Amino acid sequence: MKEYSPREIEAKWQEHWRKTELYQTGEDTNKPKYYVLEQFPYPSGEGLHMGHTRVYSIGDVVARFRRMNGYNVLHPMGADAFGLPAENAAIQRGVNPREWTLNNMERIRREQSLLGASYDWDRYVGTCLPDYYKFNQWLFLLFYERGLAYRKKAMVNWCPSCGTVLANEQVEEGKCWRCDSEVIKKELEQWFFKITDYADRLLEGLDRLPKWPERVKAMQRNWIGRSEGAHVTFTVPELSDEKITVFTTRPDTLYGVSYLVLAPEHPLVPRLIKGKENEAGILEFINQTQKQSEIERTSNDAEKVGHPTGAYAQHPLTGEAIPIWVGNYVLMDYGTGAVMGVPAHDERDFAFASKYQLPVKPVIRPENERLSEPLREAYTGDGVLVSSGQFDGMKNREAIHAIAKFLEERGQGKWTVNYRLRDWLISRQRYWGTPIPVVYCDDCHIVPVPKDQLPVLLPEDVVFDGKNNPLATSESFVHTTCPKCGKPARRETDTMDTFVDSSWYFLRYTDPHNEEIPFAKEKADRFMPVDEYIGGIEHAVLHLLYSRFFTKVFYDAGMVSFDEPFESLLTQGMVLKDGLKMSKSKGNVVSPLEIVEKYGADTARLFILFAAPPDRDLDWSESGVEGVHRFLNRVWRLVVQNEELFKQPVPSGAKADGKTKELRRLLHQTIKKVTIEIGERNHFNTAVSAIMELVNGLYQHAGETDPALYKEALETLVVLLAPFVPHISEELWSVMGKEGSVHQTAWPSYDESALVLDEVELAVQINGKVRDKIVVPTQASREEIEKQALDNERIKHWTEGKTVRKVIVVPGKLVNIVVK
Ligand code: ANZ
Ligand code: ZN
């Protein structure tokens, strides 16, 4: 008998599929479309890791399953190819970033092919290629025209180690998302995308995404951070021309204000402290605060530090003098950069007031209770107002609006909505990215490069010394002429954040060779939105928020007719080994290619899909891999041993005995289970278990059942396995002498009537104790079951001489006879 040799058959079929262009997206518009997408990899120098293998295995099952179910499937792949590591390789090893990246892209592509993934390679998208980044520039111009790209001087997050600015989304707990160094603040002229214009729509859209994990939606809502509240204006008697406006979600606590706190960066601070006693001390404090991260400044247990400016504001309702402080816990870029301190009802204010002995004035008490003073902590619950003038006795929830309205009428405040979301800073002082297509001219100022002059190509004459922006070292690049007036001008040397590239790549796949525009509307509309998007939870706010933003801009620009890009999102779990994340630093990495080499890609794929549901963490286990490999060998032998069945026609219906019925039922049960588990639930692991049970059944019933049915069951087994283990199923399909590819076979349907059991076995109990079993037709009525139970010889023995008081029939399970 021929042995199962993955090495031989996998290479053979991969070559065959490539030649026959089996996975090219069809043009058949009569078929329903299905777009399945896995997040594209960053082509680092390390090749594929197990996490990649997992994502691709999941995506490939979905793609193959949908193809077999009659869908026109788009299943593309590409590379997210711009970014810092290429540049670091250039600095450290003197290699050319482009060559380095292109080599890695080629390697990853080769490795992806070794997994047997069914991509339409004709649609490959590499973001570092000029025919792609040209359209990043095109889109930048679109955003610019629509007022969504602007340049401003701003305090930015600066990573000293990467030598570049970072978006807020790229700062994690005060550290650089890429290199983990402490991020500092720096003032620079930068380009921004106005994502804040879309804050409300980004929130609203989440409600229309029932197939997204709740967790991801919650993270996005949190990131957008919408709060309703009021702007309240305080006058400053000593500066008659200036006022201080605070943002508060709690105007109901206005009578409890005992001080104001300004962010150290607040523009009024220098004037307020000028000539005051502690001026130098405060300036030093401001300097220190700049070095602290946002988390250090605002977390609840962080040390709150402040200084009195010596100036006073006037309370808008009571006229009282309120001391003005500067404090590290107030951020300049949230709200108005100024806060009214209400120690009695806010925890941070309470800590601050306790530390600096500022008055604590309770203005809300719980209903039907008194507050025992002095307060030992802030009272943050609801209640009724006290010591609040005309608002005394009002419920605080009502007072929020009543006080805001009162202030508004007096011109001292305004109801407002505030967001945590900031505009997206897209400038990077790096080489390996998309040049921002802008020219600076002394006369014409900011001049966008006209669309017909795109792409602005990355130059080659650059110096990589790890200190400066390499792009700025290219004379040929920097010096240009103004597109408007023709005078000498200077090119923008910042490149775009690479998250710009990944914010629309899924659209490019629908029209990858378009040279005129990023994508044609009818092509995008035909395949979008993505039906199943598979990727990591780490992109919950970055990539997934930016992509939604881009899609909404395209919708507004009439470029697409949908406004949410991803219909369903599957966030895959991690691959662990011995309970720890696989990582180089832990030394527990298992290389996917080694596994492919040793057992074959089919084993690697099947293990990954079988070992856990896709959204859970998966524990890598060598014995598990071996178990799956043994299973594939069992499948192999089962088909090869029965090769004879496929050599000549087998008459059908030769047998219709119990065993045959049983096998038929198992077969249809399996089809049903696998269809539902893949198609409706993404529970690939339970689908695989069902197939394993079918294999057991086929071994058990070998030679016992109707041969035509047995043959059909073997064929179906191979078809059901095809999405999971594409190579072995293709090989067995040809062993069976089938024409064409198993991957183009229609998915089997199941016959509900085959699932019905003809007879069932019921336990018969006397007073709750099982005394015998009876077999009854599944369709039998209660009366028939009762009669059969009571007529049973052994039961008669137990009931003799007693009175039957009650007979309880639990259909499909048991009969209980109560006697006395
Ligand atoms: C007075 C007050 C009383 C407040 C009270 C809260 C409770 P969210 O919900 O996150 O929007 N705040 C406003 N701007 C700030 C800034 N730039 N830096 C630090 N804190 C700031 O929070 C809004 C609340 O956070 C505002 O409402 C303000 O404190 C504070 F019993 O005003 B509140
Ligand atoms: Zn000019």
Side-chain angles (χ1 to χ4, degrees):
M1 191 178 80
K2 201 166 164 266
E3 290 289 311
Y4 171 40
S5 163
R7 194 180 303 217
E8 202 180 297
I9 64 172
E10 291 187 357
K12 176 177 87 180
W13 288 115
Q14 283 166 15
E15 176 64 17
H16 182 79
W17 296 333
R18 184 165 48 243
K19 277 203 191 125
T20 51
E21 300 182 334
L22 195 67
Y23 306 122
Q24 220 131 314
T25 315
E27 290 299 325
D28 189 349
T29 43
N30 292 322
K31 286 184 177 177
K33 69 92 183 180
Y34 197 93
Y35 188 174
V36 52
L37 182 63
E38 298 115 60
Q39 283 171 358
F40 61 169
Y42 176 74
S44 73
E46 329 227 309
L48 289 191
H49 57 63
M50 223 28 113
H52 292 125
T53 312
R54 188 168 191 199
V55 184
Y56 306 146
S57 302
I58 294 168
D60 204 44
V61 166
V62 175
R64 289 175 184 279
F65 175 79
R66 293 291 163 180
R67 264 188 222 108
M68 295 170 85
N69 278 277
Y71 288 85
N72 184 21
V73 169
L74 173 57
H75 187 213
M77 190 34 77
D80 189 10
F82 270 140
L84 212 47
E87 213 163 319
N88 288 342
I91 296 164
Q92 284 153 17
R93 284 176 272 149
V95 292
N96 178 306
R98 186 162 49 81
E99 261 168 47
W100 184 85
T101 307
L102 292 179
N103 279 336
N104 293 342
M105 281 160 70
E106 222 12 74
R107 169 173 171 192
I108 292 236
R109 225 169 121 145
R110 204 171 48 242
E111 295 180 357
Q112 286 169 327
S113 302
L114 289 177
L115 294 175
S118 62
Y119 299 122
D120 178 352
W121 288 113
D122 277 358
R123 292 175 185 254
Y124 188 79
V125 164
T127 57
C128 66
L129 305 173
D131 63 357
Y132 185 81
Y133 74 70
K134 167 182 171 178
F135 293 111
N136 278 342
Q137 295 171 340
W138 194 102
L139 292 172
F140 176 93
L141 298 175
L142 173 84
F143 278 50
Y144 187 74
E145 282 158 22
R146 300 182 70 81
L148 294 170
Y150 67 94
R151 191 170 145 86
K152 77 165 183 203
K153 205 168 198 155
M155 289 300 282
V156 297
N157 305 303
W158 178 265
C159 172
S161 142
C162 294
T164 188
V165 303
L166 301 171
N168 280 5
E169 287 82 350
Q170 292 165 333
V171 181
E172 292 165 354
E173 307 201 338
K175 301 212 166 109
C176 172
W177 69 294
R178 196 180 265 291
C179 75
D180 238 20
S181 347
E182 203 70 44
V183 170
I184 59 167
K185 294 275 180 186
K186 210 171 165 175
E187 188 165 59
L188 284 174
E189 284 264 352
Q190 301 286 293
W191 283 97
F192 290 84
F193 280 165
K194 217 168 176 188
I195 191 172
T196 52
D197 269 12
Y198 284 77
D200 268 327
R201 284 168 63 192
L202 287 166
L203 269 181
E204 174 276 325
L206 293 173
D207 299 334
R208 289 182 278 122
L209 297 173
K211 293 198 234 167
W212 276 43
E214 278 310 318
R215 180 163 154 228
V216 173
K217 289 191 276 187
M219 285 165 84
Q220 290 211 358
R221 285 193 187 101
N222 222 344
W223 186 262
I224 296 166
R226 182 181 198 276
S227 346
E228 291 192 7
H231 280 160
V232 181
T233 308
F234 291 73
T235 51
V236 185
E238 67 183 72
L239 303 178
S240 53
D241 56 333
E242 291 286 1
K243 288 176 179 151
I244 293 175
T245 300
V246 303
F247 170 69
T248 176
T249 48
R250 299 290 306 275
D252 54 327
T253 63
L254 184 56
Y255 285 86
V257 172
S258 52
Y259 58 94
L260 299 186
V261 199
L262 305 185
E265 303 88 348
H266 195 286
L268 271 189
V269 171
R271 285 188 67 191
L272 290 172
I273 61 174
K274 191 145 186 80
K276 300 257 162 59
E277 195 186 332
N278 196 19
E279 185 175 355
I282 296 184
L283 289 173
E284 172 56 23
F285 162 72
I286 292 173
N287 241 326
Q288 288 303 320
T289 316
Q290 310 279 268
K291 296 193 186 122
Q292 288 186 306
S293 70
E294 190 169 319
I295 298 285
E296 275 178 86
R297 285 173 59 170
T298 55
S299 83
N300 264 344
D301 30 67
E303 155 113 269
K304 282 151 204 67
V305 190
H307 289 275
T309 62
Y312 289 82
Q314 201 178 14
H315 191 284
L317 301 183
T318 65
E320 238 180 307
I322 309 281
I324 305 171
W325 285 60
V326 248
N328 67 344
Y329 74 102
V330 178
L331 301 173
M332 191 54 224
D333 68 353
Y334 188 73
T336 60
V339 171
M340 59 185 217
V342 186
H345 303 292
D346 180 87
E347 281 166 23
R348 286 185 299 177
D349 295 345
F350 190 86
F352 192 79
S354 310
K355 180 166 172 189
Y356 295 110
Q357 277 132 33
L358 291 155
V360 178
K361 303 187 234 174
V363 288
I364 295 168
R365 62 160 175 78
E367 250 173 302
N368 312 319
E369 255 180 71
R370 319 182 113 259
L371 277 177
S372 57
E373 282 189 68
L375 291 185
R376 314 234 331 257
E377 56 181 4
Y379 175 67
T380 57
D382 285 331
V384 282
L385 266 62
V386 292
S387 313
S388 295
Q390 66 188 94
F391 300 97
D392 276 1
M394 190 182 268
K395 287 191 174 161
N396 78 299
R397 296 265 152 194
E398 286 162 31
I400 290 177
H401 298 279
I403 293 183
K405 188 157 171 268
F406 187 66
L407 290 168
E408 199 155 342
E409 282 159 9
R410 296 165 44 120
Q412 292 171 317
K414 196 165 174 40
W415 190 252
T416 181
V417 178
N418 191 61
Y419 299 90
R420 208 175 91 89
L421 185 68
R422 296 278 81 96
D423 277 340
W424 173 13
L425 197 172
I426 59 146
S427 294
R428 295 292 177 275
Q429 291 69 47
R430 307 305 317 181
Y431 170 75
W432 195 233
T434 305
I436 293 176
V438 162
V439 166
Y440 301 103
C441 164
D442 284 343
D443 295 341
C444 316
H445 310 292
I446 299 177
V447 185
V449 176
K451 280 187 179 157
D452 59 15
Q453 290 176 26
L454 300 181
V456 175
L457 286 171
L458 278 172
E460 297 278 329
D461 57 335
V462 291
V463 179
F464 295 100
D465 58 7
K467 292 192 201 90
N468 300 300
N469 176 358
L471 211 46
T473 67
S474 165
E475 297 287 321
S476 66
F477 183 83
V478 174
H479 301 296
T480 184
T481 49
C482 170
K484 236 187 198 165
C485 70
K487 286 198 196 132
R490 199 171 45 80
R491 250 187 223 291
E492 170 64 85
T493 55
D494 285 354
T495 52
M496 297 180 204
D497 182 357
T498 58
F499 277 96
V500 172
D501 314 352
S502 51
S503 294
W504 67 282
Y505 77 108
F506 44 90
L507 283 153
R508 183 67 180 171
Y509 284 137
T510 67
D511 192 9
H513 307 297
N514 199 323
E515 288 174 10
E516 303 302 316
I517 48 174
F519 49 86
K521 181 166 193 276
E522 70 275 12
K523 297 208 174 175
D525 280 351
R526 177 143 151 239
F527 279 106
M528 290 289 291
V530 173
D531 294 275
E532 190 72 81
Y533 194 29
I534 305 146
I537 187 84
E538 67 273 18
H539 291 301
V541 281
L542 289 156
H543 164 58
L544 291 171
L545 191 65
Y546 295 150
S547 300
R548 296 182 57 228
F549 163 50
F550 265 48
T551 303
K552 288 178 195 300
V553 175
F554 299 155
Y555 176 82
D556 289 353
M559 293 163 67
V560 297
S561 38
F562 48 88
D563 76 336
E564 283 293 340
F566 312 125
E567 179 81 14
S568 173
L569 178 69
L570 202 169
T571 48
Q572 89 281 357
M574 282 190 295
V575 184
L576 311 176
K577 180 139 182 258
D578 311 322
L580 296 172
K581 185 181 175 174
M582 274 192 195
S583 78
K584 260 215 221 138
S585 58
K586 297 192 191 84
N588 61 353
V589 173
V590 180
S591 136
L593 292 194
E594 267 169 41
I595 300 294
V596 169
E597 180 77 7
K598 191 164 168 196
Y599 299 99
D602 283 341
T603 294
R605 295 168 56 122
L606 192 62
F607 170 72
I608 283 174
L609 293 163
F610 175 56
D615 53 345
R616 298 288 179 77
D617 288 349
L618 174 161
D619 236 318
W620 186 266
S621 118
E622 186 82 22
S623 63
V625 174
E626 277 165 9
V628 162
H629 192 61
R630 274 197 303 277
F631 167 73
L632 288 181
N633 269 296
R634 255 163 83 73
V635 171
W636 177 270
R637 286 196 304 273
L638 189 61
V639 175
V640 175
Q641 274 165 7
N642 286 288
E643 227 177 317
E644 284 309 309
L645 275 179
F646 300 95
K647 297 233 163 103
Q648 63 261 345
V650 182
S652 70
K655 270 189 185 174
D657 58 343
K659 298 272 183 206
T660 297
K661 265 192 188 156
E662 212 175 293
L663 180 63
R664 190 169 140 75
R665 200 166 65 79
L666 175 64
L667 176 63
H668 285 265
Q669 214 174 38
T670 311
I671 300 173
K672 180 174 182 181
K673 177 107 181 147
V674 176
T675 307
I676 292 172
E677 296 296 296
I678 304 180
E680 290 170 27
R681 310 182 57 199
N682 285 339
H683 283 179
F684 312 116
N685 56 325
T686 44
V688 175
S689 321
I691 298 176
M692 288 176 167
E693 278 171 38
L694 175 62
V695 170
N696 288 342
L698 282 164
Y699 269 101
Q700 267 166 29
H701 291 300
E704 284 181 343
T705 65
D706 177 48
L709 175 75
Y710 199 79
K711 180 177 163 184
E712 181 196 330
L714 288 173
E715 287 166 0
T716 308
L717 165 68
V718 171
V719 175
L720 295 178
L721 276 170
F724 299 93
V725 284
H727 311 88
I728 188 175
S729 10
E730 192 77 306
E731 179 70 18
L732 292 176
W733 197 243
S734 83
V735 166
M736 291 172 165
K738 298 284 181 185
E739 297 267 312
S741 169
V742 69
H743 302 294
Q744 287 179 319
T745 312
W747 190 254
S749 50
Y750 52 90
D751 179 357
E752 284 284 358
S753 70
L755 302 180
V756 180
L757 270 177
D758 293 353
E759 289 181 325
V760 273
E761 196 179 59
L762 304 181
V764 183
Q765 302 176 335
I766 308 280
N767 291 347
K769 273 213 176 107
V770 178
R771 297 301 185 187
D772 202 5
K773 288 182 176 152
I774 56 170
V775 174
V776 300
T778 19
Q779 312 302 343
S781 66
R782 258 166 213 279
E783 291 73 31
E784 285 165 342
I785 294 172
E786 227 180 279
K787 183 165 184 297
Q788 197 178 328
L790 292 170
D791 288 349
N792 178 295
E793 282 308 316
R794 289 189 58 195
I795 298 301
K796 268 192 186 155
H797 166 78
W798 286 98
T799 52
E800 219 172 68
K802 304 204 169 112
T803 335
V804 174
R805 310 214 30 190
K806 210 180 188 180
V807 181
I808 303 156
V809 178
V810 183
K813 289 228 171 76
L814 57 84
V815 183
N816 187 16
I817 302 167
V818 184
V819 296
K820 233 192 148 178

